Structures are given as structure tokens and as C-alpha cells.
Amino acid sequence: MSRLGLLAAACALAVLAAPARAQEANPHAGHDMGQLPTSPESMDHGQMQHGAHAGHQMMPAPMSPAEASQPPLAPPPPEAFTGPENAADIVWNPKLMARVRKTELIDMHGRFRGSKLMVDRLEYRGQDGRDGYLWDAEGWIGGDYDKLWIKTEGEGAFEEALESAEVQALWSHAISPWFDVQAGVRYDIRPRPKGSDAGRAHAILGLQGLAPYWLEVDAALFLSGKGDLTARIEAEHDMCLTNSLILQPRAEVDLAAQNVAETGTGSGLSSFEAGLRLRYEFIPEFAPYIGIEYARLFGNTRDYARAEGEDTGGWSFLVGVRTWF
């Protein structure tokens, strides 16, 4: 081959090798770019591997509030069931730690200390020809199980001496979530004594609490220093007509095991009272009320009252207030 022929062959090989080198330098050479997305929104990132983050495990997405409020589905790890129930017992005296745990449990769920003073009835009693007044108050101080109660009630007529009054001091102990047993003393104050009976002390054993259908019950036996046994049962129920307007039926029964002429008490059923009081609670601690009440004496008690020229029963119109602190 001549020199001219060799030069022509070399030029032809150089022309054929140039596209191959250009394709090696550009990895996208030969790709069909017309099928690529034209905007970031139209790109499918889920099918792409982004350079340095390709193959990394990404953090899980945060849970929504509804998912976070659900209990965990996975059981506790096995390590949670190994070891002692109270790890502090390994280091400290187990008896001391048990006492501390009991004390903390009582502090968190018990050992309540409180007090309350309530004037349940402070009222004017309009009667036919004999208007009078009445008070019925009580207060307590103590905890969930044991309390000290002080109760007092009395009544009389206007422009006359106090007819009767009594004061009770009671220790109260819870025997169930609804009832307390009470024991203590009662002293009767009689400003108008019959004979030498100016006052009389009694021992008390009673039961106070909340019966089914939200019926508040207070029942007590009284044994006087002279051996006289009497009993009293009170029951009342609050009926909420509205959030502030409350109708309260109330009944009281007095019983005696014997005749006691000094106090004008006859054996058997001595007296009965039943009333309705409608109160309006401006606030729970203050509620004025109006009402009516019917009272009646029975048996020898009625005879003793007639002999003294006293009323034996009838209707009364009531205006009063109920308050507590």
C-alpha cells in the first residue's frame, strides 16, 4: 500500500472511534430523554435512589394523637418479669420498705382529714296561735373511718322560755361505705323542768348513713341515767326539681319503752312528724326554704301534753334557711 493509502485508512479509523469515546464519557448518552418527567411534582421519588441516602433506613413517621392514645399492642419485654417485685428490698431492710410502701399508699388513697358544720334547719314555725322556732345543727371532724360528731337541736315559742334542747357528742366509725355506727352521750336541757328533772343525760348507740334510693337515715337508741330507754328514727330525701330547686320530704318518729312522767313521754309510739321543705340553693352552702309540717302526739305522751295545756299536734308553716361551712 502506498503512503497515501495508509493515511486515508488512519483517518477513517479515527472518524469511526470518536462516537465510541464520546459515549463512554457521558453515561446518559443514548438515553431517551424525551420520556423523563418535566417537573419535580411529576417525579416518582419512591422508585428512585437518591445518591448517598440510597439504602439507608429512614426514621418512622410520627404517630397521630389518636394512634398515640391507643395501648401498645406488643407485650412487655421478658426482662420486665424478671427480678424481685420491689427492687429496693435488695438494698434496704425489706420490713422497713414494706412499712414505707404502706404509709405512702395510705397517704395517696386515704388518711383524709376534714370537718363540716351544717345548720340543717333554722326555721320559723307558724302555728295556730303559737308561733315558734326550731334549730337543728350538727358538725363533725375526722377522717374516712372515724369522726367526732356534735349535734344539737331545740325548739320553743316566741315570748316564752325555751321549751326543750339537747346536745349530743358522738364517736362515729364507718362500718360500710354507706353507714356509720355512732356512740356517745346526749344531754337534755329543760329550762322549764317538771319537778326536779332540770336535765337528763343519756348514753347513745345509733346508726347513720345513706340507704338505697338516696334516703338519709339517722336512728338512735337513748338510755338515760335513770334507766329510761327511748328511740328516734329520722329519714329524709332530696329530690332535685332543678339544679338549684330541691324538694325534701322528711319524717321523724319517737318511741319509748316505758312511761316517763318527768319528761312527758309515754310508752310506745310517742310522736310523729312529717314535712315537706322546698329550698333554693343560691350556692350549695346557702339555701333558704319554705315548707309545711304535720306533727302529732300519741298515747300517754298526748295525755301528758293535754294535762299540761300543751298542743298535741297540728300543721305548721315553715320558713327557714339551710347552710353549711
Side-chain angles (χ1 to χ4, degrees):
M1 185 177 293
S2 65
R3 293 181 178 178
L4 183 58
L6 292 174
L7 180 60
C11 292
L13 291 174
V15 171
L16 294 175
R21 291 195 299 269
Q23 187 172 4
E24 292 177 355
N26 183 6
H28 297 287
H31 291 185
D32 185 3
M33 303 303 291
Q35 299 180 358
L36 294 176
T38 56
S39 64
E41 291 77 4
S42 62
M43 297 176 67
D44 186 2
H45 292 265
Q47 300 179 359
M48 299 179 65
Q49 296 182 353
H50 293 275
H53 297 290
H56 289 189
Q57 184 176 2
M58 305 299 289
M59 294 293 291
M63 293 187 296
S64 64
E67 294 174 338
S69 63
Q70 297 298 320
L73 299 178
E79 294 78 6
F81 300 100
T82 61
E85 181 179 1
N86 302 291
D89 293 350
I90 301 175
V91 181
W92 307 99
N93 186 330
K95 294 183 179 178
L96 175 62
M97 297 309 299
R99 186 164 62 251
V100 171
R101 286 193 295 272
K102 182 178 179 181
T103 302
E104 291 182 349
L105 180 65
I106 293 174
D107 289 341
M108 294 177 64
H109 301 284
R111 207 189 290 277
F112 166 76
R113 290 290 181 271
S115 61
K116 184 177 183 179
L117 175 61
M118 169 175 281
V119 181
D120 192 29
R121 294 182 293 163
L122 180 60
E123 62 191 26
Y124 160 82
R125 304 169 69 88
Q127 297 173 313
D128 185 15
R130 186 174 181 271
D131 295 346
Y133 56 88
L134 177 143
W135 78 82
D136 181 3
E138 62 188 24
W140 60 263
I141 183 171
D144 291 325
Y145 289 93
D146 297 286
K147 296 183 179 70
L148 172 64
W149 282 79
I150 302 295
K151 302 180 181 180
T152 178
E153 63 179 76
E155 61 182 335
F158 293 116
E159 300 179 355
E160 294 182 10
L162 178 65
E163 181 177 341
S164 65
E166 66 178 48
V167 179
Q168 300 180 18
L170 303 166
W171 168 77
S172 176
H173 181 74
I175 56 175
S176 77
W178 309 105
F179 276 94
D180 293 355
V181 63
Q182 297 181 331
V185 295
R186 158 188 154 189
Y187 187 77
D188 292 346
I189 303 170
R190 305 184 68 84
R192 294 184 297 175
K194 298 175 181 179
S196 58
D197 190 45
R200 182 167 296 198
H202 304 255
I204 305 175
L205 179 62
L207 195 66
Q208 181 174 356
L210 191 64
Y213 303 102
W214 301 100
L215 188 65
E216 295 185 24
V217 177
D218 188 357
L221 289 172
F222 306 101
L223 181 62
S224 74
K226 297 184 179 181
D228 306 322
L229 181 63
T230 57
R232 179 185 302 160
I233 303 173
E234 302 175 15
E236 60 187 35
H237 175 64
D238 285 349
M239 303 170 62
C240 296
L241 305 181
T242 67
N243 287 339
S244 301
L245 195 62
I246 299 170
L247 180 65
Q248 182 192 67
R250 182 182 183 279
E252 177 179 329
V253 175
D254 288 290
L255 306 164
Q258 65 288 304
N259 294 322
V260 185
E262 293 84 355
T263 61
T265 303
S267 61
L269 177 60
S270 301
S271 64
F272 171 78
E273 296 178 1
L276 282 174
R277 290 170 175 80
L278 181 65
R279 70 175 186 266
Y280 186 84
E281 293 185 350
F282 288 97
I283 56 175
E285 296 87 352
F286 180 78
Y289 63 81
I290 60 174
I292 56 174
E293 186 176 82
Y294 180 78
R296 176 63 60 186
L297 301 179
F298 296 92
N300 290 336
T301 304
R302 181 178 54 195
D303 296 338
Y304 290 136
R306 284 175 175 170
E308 294 292 331
E310 299 176 353
D311 294 333
T312 59
W315 289 93
S316 299
F317 172 72
L318 313 173
V319 178
V321 63
R322 179 179 187 266
T323 183
W324 58 271
F325 309 95

